[in-house]
Amino acid sequence: MNRPARALTAAAPPVVAAAVGATAARNAPEIYARLDKPSWAPPAGVFGPVWSALYLLIGATGWRLAERPRRVATALHLVQLGLNASWTPLFFGAGRRRAALAVSIALDVTVAAEMAQLVRDGDRPAAALLAPYLAWCGFATALTASVGDPQPAGEDTAA
């Protein structure tokens, strides 16, 4: 595969997933501020930089997959990005917290399966690129499971 085609193959899936998430996250800062969150929840400003870095790592994994295509690993890669893209519309757009939690758990399992497949395929570096993503997804799953419904806008949550 030539370099431009490889770059497109590597970059397009995470860019599409990020764009879907960003579109659905228009009101996320306001909703996140109103959620009943655990004390260990990060501030809203952390998510953008973390996801930017993770999408770069996901793209780098895609680059390696495009260099030497592997059907199972590539399928898992695309499935996990589809799950990734569906979480934000469910959680923030539709307010379907339980469905978002189910997607988050499926995402964790799929990323772990992709990493394991990459190791079986002899591409430990590609699997290692996904390790921070899996760690963040696990954290996000715990956070998703821990949040309560948002407080009504304008209500003092300290009372």
Side-chain angles (χ1 to χ4, degrees), residues 27-37 44 91-92 95 97 147-158:
N27 298 325
E30 295 83 18
I31 295 168
Y32 187 76
R34 293 192 335 254
L35 289 173
D36 181 17
K37 297 180 290 297
F91 190 88
F92 288 113
R97 310 279 185 264
V147 299
D149 290 329
Q151 301 296 319
E155 185 174 302
D156 183 6
T157 58

Side-chain angles (χ1 to χ4, degrees), residues 93-104:
R96 299 194 54 209
R97 310 279 185 264
R98 291 169 96 185
L101 179 58
V103 165
S104 194

Side-chain angles (χ1 to χ4, degrees), residues 66-106:
E67 177 182 44
R68 190 171 60 102
R70 288 143 290 181
R71 194 164 79 214
V72 174
T74 299
L76 289 166
H77 190 72
L78 295 173
V79 167
Q80 60 92 350
L81 281 165
L83 290 165
N84 178 317
S86 69
W87 185 90
T88 302
L90 284 170
F91 190 88
F92 288 113
R96 299 194 54 209
R97 310 279 185 264
R98 291 169 96 185
L101 179 58
V103 165
S104 194
I105 292 166

Side-chain angles (χ1 to χ4, degrees), residues 29-158:
E30 295 83 18
I31 295 168
Y32 187 76
R34 293 192 335 254
L35 289 173
D36 181 17
K37 297 180 290 297
S39 61
W40 47 269
V46 167
F47 292 95
V50 167
W51 277 110
S52 295
L54 293 174
Y55 281 126
L56 285 173
L57 294 172
I58 294 165
T61 301
W63 178 265
R64 294 184 67 85
L65 285 168
E67 177 182 44
R68 190 171 60 102
R70 288 143 290 181
R71 194 164 79 214
V72 174
T74 299
L76 289 166
H77 190 72
L78 295 173
V79 167
Q80 60 92 350
L81 281 165
L83 290 165
N84 178 317
S86 69
W87 185 90
T88 302
L90 284 170
F91 190 88
F92 288 113
R96 299 194 54 209
R97 310 279 185 264
R98 291 169 96 185
L101 179 58
V103 165
S104 194
I105 292 166
L107 177 60
D108 296 343
V109 170
T110 306
V111 173
E114 180 183 357
M115 291 173 68
Q117 184 63 46
L118 288 165
V119 169
R120 280 192 295 278
D121 290 345
D123 196 347
R124 288 183 184 276
L129 286 167
L130 294 176
Y133 178 42
L134 179 59
W136 182 260
C137 287
F139 174 76
T141 298
L143 184 57
T144 300
S146 299
V147 299
D149 290 329
Q151 301 296 319
E155 185 174 302
D156 183 6
T157 58

